[in-house]
Amino acid sequence: MSKTPIPAPNRERIFADLSALVSFNSPHSTPELADQHEAACAWTVQALEQLGLEVTRHPTVDDADTVIGYKAPVGDAPTVLLYSHYDVVPANNPEAWTSDPFTLTERNGRWYGRGAADCKGNLAMHLEALRMLEAAGGTDLGLKVVVEGSEELGGLDGLVKLIEQEPSLFDADVILIADSGNVAVGVPTVTTSLRGGAQVHVSVETLGGAIHSGSFGGAAPDAAHALVRIVDSLFDEHGRTTIDGVDATAKWEGDEYSREDFRSDAGVLDGVQLLGSAEDQPADMVWSRPALTMIGFTSTPVAEAVNAVNPRAEAQLNLRVPAGMDAAEVSEKLKQHIINHTPWGAKVEVTVSGVSKPFAADPEGEALALLGQCLKDAYGSENLAVVGAGGSIPLTITLQETFPNAEVIVYGVEEPLCGIHGVDESVDPTEIEHIAIAEATFLTRYGRPESSPEGN
């Protein structure tokens, strides 16, 4: 193939692609929006077909189509798989947004809309990279572009089951997962670890029904009080997660996550302390250790409060488990911890669901080194940030286990200012441009004899 230089990205074309994608209100498993989800899928099919790829749609067990665009390799050239997804989390109340969440809107140099970063911005990046690649003479590589339709709300069965049933569709030498991003705008980054985890539902019962707090409060066991005691047992005085029999002291060995950056990225209020002791760094806490978050709690809503002792209370706990730990084993130890720390003989039920394994990339991988160099070149940077991520992408471990000889690499156009999953989600268009340049460059260089990180 020609070694014509990679052309500059076309921002107007990127904006047009992303505008079309954002216009679809396309969460999965939302019956009243099924037509929008289908429209996003159909648009993705057409966009990949226009790039000359052979495109097929594959239904999944969670009623969402995965779109796969394919180009065969030339000779014995390797194959690279590019991943992103066209579904989004719900925008919830559009009135809370500064502008319509389904109209891509530019403000102060950023583009706002649901999915602008996660993950439609990454899909737009893939499309631009492939156009730039074609303008530079194409590639002998085989290409598989996989665009999922149920990443956000579909659970763990959709694409994972499809991979198990038809692994040949996904077989590749390198798998590039564009569903993450940089530590800050303009800082090229690869993510080498992701936490796995589980959802844990805890219900506590102490009484046959609500009873008057004046007559019985003080001696009658309050279920909400019991549940608070249980949850409190899962944290030490510094707020660190503590599960009986689980090590929670590991240190992160990669690039640091400064306290100042973490406070800013997380929006921690002035005067509120970060969790952990003075010896604990944010990277230790979010990338190297198990962590629990109580994402839901129910007893009696404040608006309905009466002078009564609660007979029942429930909590939903989100467990995160770092690479190097067995998520199923930690989940079981968490369940036993809760049972063992339930006070007063209260009746407790613990249900564990959605267990997913953590992921770790090969830090010495050839493709990772090359992509890292391409990212540095695209940004004009001498340094590459190598970080973990506290979130989970169960797909990564499925691909890694199914294709143990393939390199799986996580990166993308997201960064902390994007506010993914929240109100006023946005993306910096320069991130799409730089990542597209890096990806297109990688696709011209990978598999060539001179494709070492220092090659041209």
Side-chain angles (χ1 to χ4, degrees):
M1 286 292 180
S2 168
K3 294 186 68 175
T4 303
I6 296 293
N10 184 323
R11 183 173 292 196
E12 290 184 2
R13 184 168 61 193
I14 297 170
F15 187 87
D17 283 342
L18 192 52
S19 291
L21 283 164
V22 166
S23 72
F24 304 118
N25 182 7
S26 57
H28 173 256
S29 62
T30 308
E32 63 271 23
L33 295 173
D35 60 335
Q36 292 286 298
H37 187 270
E38 165 59 26
C41 180
W43 188 95
T44 300
V45 169
Q46 183 178 43
L48 294 177
E49 287 177 340
Q50 289 174 348
L51 290 170
L53 298 173
E54 177 186 329
V55 183
T56 51
R57 290 176 58 157
H58 301 268
T60 57
V61 295
D62 56 1
D63 297 321
D65 281 6
T66 291
V67 178
I68 302 178
Y70 177 67
K71 176 188 108 50
V74 176
D76 60 356
T79 294
V80 176
L81 185 152
L82 310 177
Y83 167 89
S84 58
H85 59 86
Y86 63 83
D87 65 307
V88 294
V89 298
N92 293 324
N93 178 17
E95 299 300 320
W97 289 61
T98 303
S99 55
D100 176 22
F102 308 111
T103 301
L104 191 65
T105 304
E106 182 169 359
R107 294 197 303 274
N108 301 318
R110 297 184 69 90
W111 296 348
Y112 288 81
R114 172 55 84 224
D118 182 21
C119 193
K120 293 174 176 179
N122 281 301
L123 176 53
M125 179 276 294
H126 282 323
L127 295 175
E128 186 65 11
L130 292 171
R131 294 191 187 104
M132 295 160 64
L133 176 67
E134 186 63 25
T139 179
D140 288 345
L141 295 173
L143 294 175
K144 295 181 178 180
V145 185
V146 175
V147 190
E148 185 180 4
S150 55
E151 196 275 342
E152 298 289 8
L153 301 178
L156 303 179
D157 289 334
L159 185 54
V160 167
K161 292 293 185 184
L162 182 60
I163 294 169
E164 293 173 352
Q165 294 165 0
E166 299 189 66
S168 62
L169 293 172
F170 305 91
D171 192 7
D173 298 280
V174 177
I175 299 171
L176 302 181
I177 307 290
D179 196 7
S180 183
N182 293 344
V183 297
V185 173
V187 181
T189 304
V190 292
T191 300
T192 57
S193 72
L194 298 165
R195 291 192 289 192
Q199 299 291 340
V200 181
H201 182 265
V202 184
S203 63
V204 177
E205 287 187 302
T206 55
L207 301 167
I211 54 177
H212 189 256
S213 60
S215 299
F216 302 102
D222 187 312
H225 184 185
L227 184 50
V228 168
R229 288 280 298 271
I230 292 169
V231 172
D232 187 57
S233 76
L234 292 164
F235 302 91
D236 69 9
E237 68 274 20
H238 299 292
R240 295 174 295 197
T241 296
T242 55
I243 302 169
D244 291 347
V246 176
D247 179 31
T249 62
K251 306 293 287 185
W252 174 250
E253 300 296 335
D255 288 22
E256 73 168 8
Y257 196 166
S258 74
R259 294 176 185 275
E260 293 75 18
D261 287 344
F262 184 88
R263 293 186 68 89
S264 175
D265 294 344
V268 180
L269 300 179
D270 290 344
V272 178
Q273 298 178 6
L274 299 185
L275 300 184
S277 69
E279 289 73 37
D280 299 312
Q281 298 300 314
D284 303 331
M285 304 284 282
V286 300
W287 298 336
S288 288
R289 301 177 185 176
L292 276 169
T293 303
M294 185 164 63
I295 59 175
F297 183 95
T298 302
S299 59
T300 302
V302 171
E304 302 172 14
V306 295
N307 295 328
V309 180
N310 294 289
R312 179 180 176 85
E314 299 177 69
Q316 188 75 20
L317 306 178
N318 177 235
L319 172 67
R320 300 288 178 165
V321 179
M325 285 190 171
D326 185 319
E329 179 181 344
V330 175
S331 299
E332 185 58 35
K333 289 183 176 179
L334 171 60
K335 178 178 180 178
Q336 194 59 49
H337 177 115
I338 291 169
I339 293 170
N340 292 344
H341 288 263
T342 298
W344 318 317
K347 308 303 181 183
V348 63
E349 291 188 7
V350 184
T351 304
V352 177
S353 62
V355 178
S356 63
K357 298 179 180 179
F359 162 81
D362 177 6
E364 306 298 326
E366 174 189 349
L368 189 150
L370 177 58
L371 180 63
Q373 185 61 51
C374 293
L375 286 164
K376 290 192 291 183
D377 291 346
Y379 281 92
S381 173
E382 295 183 357
N383 299 309
L384 176 73
V386 179
V387 301
S392 303
I393 307 177
L395 171 69
T396 54
I397 193 67
T398 299
L399 291 167
Q400 194 175 60
E401 291 180 343
T402 306
F403 309 108
N405 295 323
E407 282 194 61
V408 181
I409 307 172
V410 180
Y411 64 108
V413 306
E414 303 162 25
E415 38 76 27
L417 296 180
C418 290
I420 63 172
H421 294 197
V423 170
D424 285 348
E425 178 183 350
S426 68
V427 69
D428 187 316
T430 64
E431 294 292 87
I432 297 179
E433 292 171 333
H434 284 117
I435 302 293
I437 293 169
E439 185 169 282
T441 304
F442 176 88
L443 294 174
T444 65
R445 291 173 57 185
Y446 181 69
R448 290 178 176 269
E450 70 276 21
S451 66
S452 66
E454 292 76 24
N456 296 308

